[in-house]
Amino acid sequence: MSAEDTPEADADAAAESESETARAKLFGEWEITDIEYADPSTERYITVTPIAHTMGRHADKQFKKSEISIVERLINRLMQTDENTGKKQLATSIVTEAFEIVHERTDENPIQVLVSAVENSAPREETVRLKYGGISVPKAVDVAPQRRVDQALKFLAEGVYGGSFKTTTSAAEALAQQLVGAANDDVQTYAVNQKEEKERVAAAAR
C-alpha cells in the first residue's frame, strides 16, 4: 500500500474536496456558506450547493431529490409549464436574473432569500379525505417536512406563472417579487397566501 492510499490520505482528500465545494459559488457569484435556517424541521430537506444542474442523477432514487440543490429544484419547478417544458437553460437564466434583482432590492444573498421564502411558504397542515360509510369527511393532518418543501416550491412556481403569463411582467421579475415577498412572510404574496389558505382549511377540519 502506498502512502497515497492510507486512510489519512483519503480523509485529507475528502476534507480538501469539501473545502473546495465551500469556496465555490453558485452561478460563480453567490456564496453558499453561512446560510441560516429558521425552521429546523425542513433544514435537512433544503440543500444548498454551488451546482445548479446535476443532469437528473437523482431521478431513479426515491427521496434523493432532497439532496439536490434547492436552487436546481426551483429551476425544475419552473420548467413544469407548457411554455417551459424541457427548457432548463431558459429556466436557469430566469433564476439567475431573478437573483440579481433580489440582491439589488434587498442587498442580501439571494440564496438566503430563497431559503427563507421556502420556509415561509411551506404549509404545516393540510386536509385529506376519509370515507366513513360512504360519506367523505375532510380531516386535518400534519405535513411531512419533505412535502412541505415540495409544496413551497410548487406555490412559488405557480406564483411566477400567474404573475408573468400574458402580462408585461417578465418571469424573472415575477420570481423576484415572489421570493422577496415570501421571505418577508407577506400574505399578499401568492405562495404565502396559498400556505395560509391550506392551513385555514385544515384548521376548520380539525
Side-chain angles (χ1 to χ4, degrees), residues 10-80:
D10 291 341
D12 291 341
E16 184 177 350
S17 176
E18 289 181 4
S19 178
E20 290 177 355
T21 300
R23 288 196 300 269
K25 296 182 179 180
L26 179 68
F27 302 138
E29 188 169 1
W30 310 115
E31 296 282 355
I32 64 168
T33 56
D34 300 325
I35 301 299
E36 297 180 358
Y37 299 87
D39 189 342
S41 69
T42 57
E43 180 175 351
R44 63 174 293 194
Y45 299 100
I46 301 178
T47 303
V48 176
T49 74
I51 301 172
H53 185 23
T54 56
M55 296 177 287
R57 294 176 186 171
H58 66 291
D60 61 338
K61 297 180 181 178
Q62 190 176 21
F63 303 126
K64 279 291 183 179
K65 61 184 176 182
S66 293
E67 298 179 11
I68 304 302
S69 169
I70 192 68
V71 177
E72 182 176 7
R73 294 187 65 191
L74 175 63
I75 291 171
N76 292 342
R77 266 294 177 181
L78 293 176
M79 291 168 57
Q80 295 179 0

Side-chain angles (χ1 to χ4, degrees), residues 75-76 78-79 84 87-96:
I75 291 171
N76 292 342
L78 293 176
M79 291 168 57
N84 293 341
K87 301 177 182 178
K88 189 153 191 174
Q89 188 172 0
L90 173 61
T92 301
S93 66
I94 290 172
V95 172
T96 304

Side-chain angles (χ1 to χ4, degrees), residues 127-139 205:
T127 56
V128 297
R129 290 265 171 193
L130 301 179
K131 282 197 172 182
Y132 295 100
I135 300 174
S136 183
V137 179
K139 177 69 174 178

Side-chain angles (χ1 to χ4, degrees), residues 35-186:
I35 301 299
E36 297 180 358
Y37 299 87
D39 189 342
S41 69
T42 57
E43 180 175 351
R44 63 174 293 194
Y45 299 100
I46 301 178
T47 303
V48 176
T49 74
I51 301 172
H53 185 23
T54 56
M55 296 177 287
R57 294 176 186 171
H58 66 291
D60 61 338
K61 297 180 181 178
Q62 190 176 21
F63 303 126
K64 279 291 183 179
K65 61 184 176 182
S66 293
E67 298 179 11
I68 304 302
S69 169
I70 192 68
V71 177
E72 182 176 7
R73 294 187 65 191
L74 175 63
I75 291 171
N76 292 342
R77 266 294 177 181
L78 293 176
M79 291 168 57
Q80 295 179 0
T81 63
D82 292 339
E83 289 75 19
N84 293 341
T85 299
K87 301 177 182 178
K88 189 153 191 174
Q89 188 172 0
L90 173 61
T92 301
S93 66
I94 290 172
V95 172
T96 304
E97 185 179 346
F99 276 14
E100 295 283 356
I101 297 172
V102 168
H103 180 66
E104 290 176 3
R105 293 182 180 175
T106 65
D107 200 29
E108 294 183 26
N109 185 341
I111 302 176
Q112 177 66 68
V113 175
L114 170 59
V115 170
S116 298
V118 170
E119 291 177 333
N120 291 338
S121 305
R124 292 178 289 264
E125 281 187 308
E126 62 182 350
T127 56
V128 297
R129 290 265 171 193
L130 301 179
K131 282 197 172 182
Y132 295 100
I135 300 174
S136 183
V137 179
K139 177 69 174 178
V141 295
D142 293 333
V143 184
Q146 187 175 58
R147 178 169 169 78
R148 291 185 64 204
V149 175
D150 292 344
Q151 290 282 291
L153 292 172
K154 174 188 174 185
F155 294 155
L156 288 169
E158 287 177 348
V160 174
Y161 183 78
S164 61
F165 186 63
K166 292 186 177 179
T167 71
T168 57
T169 304
S170 68
E173 173 67 25
L175 177 56
Q177 291 175 358
Q178 287 294 315
L179 293 179
V180 173
N184 293 328
D185 206 13
D186 182 1

